[in-house]
Amino acid sequence: MLAPSKYLVILLSFLFSVNSYANSEVIVDKARDRVIPISVSFPTPNAHCSQQTKCPVAFINAGYGIAHTDYQFAADVFTAKGYLTIAVAHELKSDPALNLTPPYMATRIENWHRGVVTLKFLVGELSSRYPQYDFTRLTLFGHSNGGDISALFAAIYPHQVNQIITLDHRRMLLPRNKNIRVLTLRGSDYPADHQVLLNKDELVQYPVTQIMIEKSRHNDMYDGGPKWLVARMAKEIDAFLNNKI
Protein backbone atom coordinates (compact mmCIF):
# COMPACT_ATOMS: atom_id res chain seq x y z
CA MET A 1 0.00 0.00 0.00
CA LEU A 2 1.30 3.46 -0.91
CA ALA A 3 2.38 5.78 1.88
CA PRO A 4 0.13 8.86 2.19
CA SER A 5 2.85 11.20 0.95
CA LYS A 6 3.43 9.12 -2.18
CA TYR A 7 -0.31 8.95 -2.82
CA LEU A 8 -0.53 12.75 -2.72
CA VAL A 9 2.32 13.15 -5.19
CA ILE A 10 0.75 10.65 -7.60
CA LEU A 11 -2.68 12.30 -7.32
CA LEU A 12 -1.28 15.77 -7.95
CA SER A 13 0.78 14.53 -10.89
CA PHE A 14 -2.34 12.99 -12.40
CA LEU A 15 -4.39 16.12 -11.94
CA PHE A 16 -1.77 18.38 -13.46
CA SER A 17 -1.37 16.01 -16.41
CA VAL A 18 -5.01 16.42 -17.41
CA ASN A 19 -5.19 18.36 -20.66
CA SER A 20 -7.87 21.00 -20.16
CA TYR A 21 -8.16 23.86 -22.60
CA ALA A 22 -8.13 27.30 -20.95
CA ASN A 23 -9.35 30.48 -22.59
CA SER A 24 -8.46 33.86 -21.06
CA GLU A 25 -10.54 36.89 -21.97
CA VAL A 26 -12.07 40.10 -20.66
CA ILE A 27 -15.83 40.53 -20.41
CA VAL A 28 -17.35 43.99 -20.01
CA ASP A 29 -20.29 44.65 -17.72
CA LYS A 30 -21.64 47.71 -19.51
CA ALA A 31 -24.16 48.52 -16.78
CA ARG A 32 -21.30 49.07 -14.32
CA ASP A 33 -18.69 50.11 -16.91
CA ARG A 34 -16.53 47.34 -15.46
CA VAL A 35 -14.06 45.00 -17.15
CA ILE A 36 -13.91 41.45 -15.79
CA PRO A 37 -10.87 39.32 -16.66
CA ILE A 38 -11.67 35.62 -16.60
CA SER A 39 -10.02 32.33 -17.48
CA VAL A 40 -12.30 29.54 -18.68
CA SER A 41 -11.10 25.93 -18.41
CA PHE A 42 -13.05 23.22 -20.19
CA PRO A 43 -13.53 19.67 -18.93
CA THR A 44 -11.83 16.69 -20.48
CA PRO A 45 -13.49 15.42 -23.68
CA ASN A 46 -14.88 12.31 -21.99
CA ALA A 47 -17.24 14.51 -19.96
CA HIS A 48 -19.78 14.36 -22.84
CA CYS A 49 -21.55 17.60 -21.97
CA SER A 50 -24.69 18.51 -23.93
CA GLN A 51 -27.87 20.54 -23.58
CA GLN A 52 -29.66 17.31 -22.70
CA THR A 53 -27.03 16.20 -20.16
CA LYS A 54 -25.49 19.36 -18.80
CA CYS A 55 -22.17 19.31 -16.98
CA PRO A 56 -21.57 21.28 -13.77
CA VAL A 57 -19.99 24.72 -13.43
CA ALA A 58 -17.42 25.96 -10.91
CA PHE A 59 -16.32 29.54 -10.27
CA ILE A 60 -12.87 30.18 -8.79
CA ASN A 61 -12.60 33.32 -6.65
CA ALA A 62 -9.04 34.29 -5.74
CA GLY A 63 -7.68 35.57 -2.48
CA TYR A 64 -7.04 39.31 -2.26
CA GLY A 65 -3.78 40.21 -4.01
CA ILE A 66 -3.45 36.82 -5.73
CA ALA A 67 -4.03 36.34 -9.46
CA HIS A 68 -7.20 34.52 -10.44
CA THR A 69 -5.06 32.17 -12.54
CA ASP A 70 -2.99 31.04 -9.52
CA TYR A 71 -5.36 28.23 -8.49
CA GLN A 72 -4.60 25.86 -11.32
CA PHE A 73 -4.45 22.92 -8.92
CA ALA A 74 -8.14 23.46 -8.17
CA ALA A 75 -9.08 24.09 -11.82
CA ASP A 76 -7.43 20.79 -12.73
CA VAL A 77 -9.46 18.91 -10.13
CA PHE A 78 -12.68 20.48 -11.41
CA THR A 79 -12.02 19.90 -15.10
CA ALA A 80 -11.02 16.29 -14.43
CA LYS A 81 -14.46 15.86 -12.83
CA GLY A 82 -16.29 17.32 -15.83
CA TYR A 83 -16.72 20.91 -14.63
CA LEU A 84 -16.62 24.02 -16.76
CA THR A 85 -14.37 26.18 -14.58
CA ILE A 86 -14.31 29.98 -14.62
CA ALA A 87 -11.59 31.80 -12.67
CA VAL A 88 -12.59 35.41 -12.01
CA ALA A 89 -10.43 38.47 -11.34
CA HIS A 90 -12.51 40.40 -8.82
CA GLU A 91 -10.00 43.12 -7.95
CA LEU A 92 -9.05 45.88 -10.38
CA LYS A 93 -6.41 48.57 -9.88
CA SER A 94 -9.14 51.20 -9.85
CA ASP A 95 -10.99 49.52 -6.96
CA PRO A 96 -10.68 50.79 -3.38
CA ALA A 97 -8.21 48.86 -1.25
CA LEU A 98 -9.64 46.13 0.95
CA ASN A 99 -10.69 47.65 4.26
CA LEU A 100 -8.43 46.61 7.15
CA THR A 101 -10.66 47.97 9.91
CA PRO A 102 -12.99 45.65 11.84
CA PRO A 103 -15.80 44.71 12.10
CA TYR A 104 -15.19 43.16 8.69
CA MET A 105 -18.77 42.01 8.19
CA ALA A 106 -19.58 45.71 7.93
CA THR A 107 -16.43 47.25 6.46
CA ARG A 108 -15.85 44.68 3.70
CA ILE A 109 -19.43 44.03 2.63
CA GLU A 110 -19.09 46.49 -0.29
CA ASN A 111 -16.12 44.51 -1.64
CA TRP A 112 -17.93 41.18 -1.25
CA HIS A 113 -21.14 42.49 -2.74
CA ARG A 114 -19.26 43.80 -5.78
CA GLY A 115 -17.92 40.27 -6.23
CA VAL A 116 -21.41 38.81 -5.91
CA VAL A 117 -22.71 41.20 -8.59
CA THR A 118 -19.83 40.17 -10.84
CA LEU A 119 -20.61 36.48 -10.41
CA LYS A 120 -24.31 37.06 -11.04
CA PHE A 121 -23.48 38.99 -14.22
CA LEU A 122 -21.15 36.24 -15.44
CA VAL A 123 -23.79 33.58 -14.86
CA GLY A 124 -26.14 35.49 -17.14
CA GLU A 125 -23.50 36.14 -19.79
CA LEU A 126 -21.92 32.70 -19.89
CA SER A 127 -25.00 30.52 -19.52
CA SER A 128 -26.18 31.51 -23.01
CA ARG A 129 -22.69 31.10 -24.42
CA TYR A 130 -22.23 27.61 -22.94
CA PRO A 131 -25.70 25.99 -22.98
CA GLN A 132 -24.24 22.52 -22.41
CA TYR A 133 -23.34 23.48 -18.81
CA ASP A 134 -25.60 23.91 -15.81
CA PHE A 135 -25.41 27.45 -14.43
CA THR A 136 -28.38 26.92 -12.11
CA ARG A 137 -26.55 24.85 -9.45
CA LEU A 138 -23.11 26.36 -9.07
CA THR A 139 -20.00 25.22 -7.27
CA LEU A 140 -18.21 28.22 -5.76
CA PHE A 141 -14.53 27.96 -4.82
CA GLY A 142 -12.77 30.76 -2.99
CA HIS A 143 -9.60 31.47 -1.07
CA SER A 144 -9.61 34.03 1.75
CA ASN A 145 -11.54 37.08 0.49
CA GLY A 146 -12.69 35.00 -2.47
CA GLY A 147 -14.22 32.57 0.00
CA ASP A 148 -16.02 35.47 1.69
CA ILE A 149 -17.47 36.45 -1.70
CA SER A 150 -18.54 32.85 -2.29
CA ALA A 151 -20.25 32.60 1.09
CA LEU A 152 -22.11 35.88 0.56
CA PHE A 153 -23.32 34.76 -2.87
CA ALA A 154 -24.72 31.61 -1.26
CA ALA A 155 -26.47 33.71 1.39
CA ILE A 156 -28.13 35.92 -1.23
CA TYR A 157 -28.80 33.29 -3.92
CA PRO A 158 -29.01 29.96 -2.06
CA HIS A 159 -31.10 28.27 -4.76
CA GLN A 160 -28.34 28.83 -7.33
CA VAL A 161 -25.60 27.19 -5.27
CA ASN A 162 -24.97 23.47 -4.97
CA GLN A 163 -21.55 23.44 -3.27
CA ILE A 164 -19.01 25.78 -1.72
CA ILE A 165 -15.31 25.12 -1.21
CA THR A 166 -13.29 27.69 0.71
CA LEU A 167 -9.62 27.89 1.56
CA ASP A 168 -9.28 29.58 4.94
CA HIS A 169 -11.80 32.37 4.39
CA ARG A 170 -12.19 34.06 7.76
CA ARG A 171 -14.83 36.83 7.72
CA MET A 172 -18.16 35.88 6.08
CA LEU A 173 -20.33 33.26 7.78
CA LEU A 174 -20.56 29.89 6.06
CA PRO A 175 -24.11 28.98 4.96
CA ARG A 176 -26.22 26.96 7.35
CA ASN A 177 -28.31 25.37 4.61
CA LYS A 178 -29.14 21.69 4.26
CA ASN A 179 -29.20 22.02 0.47
CA ILE A 180 -25.66 23.43 0.12
CA ARG A 181 -22.68 21.14 0.65
CA VAL A 182 -19.63 22.90 2.06
CA LEU A 183 -15.95 22.05 2.37
CA THR A 184 -13.68 24.51 4.10
CA LEU A 185 -9.94 23.84 4.43
CA ARG A 186 -8.47 25.76 7.33
CA GLY A 187 -4.98 27.17 7.69
CA SER A 188 -3.31 26.82 11.07
CA ASP A 189 -1.90 30.31 11.54
CA TYR A 190 -5.02 32.53 11.89
CA PRO A 191 -8.43 31.94 13.48
CA ALA A 192 -11.71 32.68 11.73
CA ASP A 193 -13.98 35.41 13.07
CA HIS A 194 -16.79 34.58 15.46
CA GLN A 195 -19.50 32.30 13.97
CA VAL A 196 -17.83 32.07 10.56
CA LEU A 197 -17.38 28.33 11.12
CA LEU A 198 -19.99 25.91 12.41
CA ASN A 199 -20.01 24.64 15.98
CA LYS A 200 -20.33 20.95 16.87
CA ASP A 201 -24.12 21.02 17.03
CA GLU A 202 -24.40 22.78 13.67
CA LEU A 203 -22.03 20.31 12.03
CA VAL A 204 -24.47 17.55 12.90
CA GLN A 205 -27.33 19.43 11.23
CA TYR A 206 -25.72 20.67 8.01
CA PRO A 207 -23.63 19.09 5.21
CA VAL A 208 -20.48 21.00 6.12
CA THR A 209 -16.96 19.59 6.42
CA GLN A 210 -14.29 21.67 8.18
CA ILE A 211 -10.73 20.38 7.89
CA MET A 212 -7.79 21.94 9.68
CA ILE A 213 -4.51 21.35 7.83
CA GLU A 214 -1.69 21.35 10.34
CA LYS A 215 1.36 23.51 9.62
CA SER A 216 -0.43 25.25 6.73
CA ARG A 217 -0.39 29.01 6.30
CA HIS A 218 -3.22 31.21 5.09
CA ASN A 219 -1.08 32.96 2.46
CA ASP A 220 0.27 29.67 1.07
CA MET A 221 -3.05 28.20 -0.04
CA TYR A 222 -2.58 28.68 -3.78
CA ASP A 223 -0.36 27.33 -6.58
CA GLY A 224 2.69 29.06 -5.12
CA GLY A 225 2.42 27.32 -1.76
CA PRO A 226 4.49 24.33 -0.63
CA LYS A 227 4.04 21.27 -2.85
CA TRP A 228 2.80 19.14 0.04
CA LEU A 229 0.09 21.70 0.82
CA VAL A 230 -1.03 22.05 -2.80
CA ALA A 231 -1.21 18.25 -3.04
CA ARG A 232 -3.18 17.99 0.20
CA MET A 233 -5.70 20.61 -0.92
CA ALA A 234 -6.14 18.88 -4.28
CA LYS A 235 -6.70 15.57 -2.50
CA GLU A 236 -9.37 16.99 -0.17
CA ILE A 237 -11.21 18.77 -2.99
CA ASP A 238 -11.15 15.61 -5.10
CA ALA A 239 -12.58 13.57 -2.24
CA PHE A 240 -15.29 16.17 -1.60
CA LEU A 241 -16.39 16.18 -5.24
CA ASN A 242 -16.49 12.38 -5.10
CA ASN A 243 -18.77 12.58 -2.02
CA LYS A 244 -16.17 10.75 0.04
CA ILE A 245 -16.05 13.37 2.80
Side-chain angles (χ1 to χ4, degrees), residues 181-197:
R181 296 180 67 234
V182 177
L183 169 66
T184 183
L185 304 180
R186 313 306 305 170
S188 60
D189 51 349
Y190 298 115
D193 288 352
H194 181 57
Q195 294 186 329
V196 166
L197 303 179

Side-chain angles (χ1 to χ4, degrees), residues 15-18 20 71-81 85:
L15 293 172
F16 283 152
S17 69
V18 174
S20 59
Y71 298 86
Q72 191 62 44
F73 77 91
D76 286 342
V77 177
F78 287 127
T79 55
K81 299 297 180 187
T85 306

Side-chain angles (χ1 to χ4, degrees), residues 121-133:
F121 169 78
L122 290 174
V123 167
E125 286 290 305
L126 299 178
S127 58
S128 58
R129 185 188 300 187
Y130 302 115
Q132 66 272 45
Y133 298 98

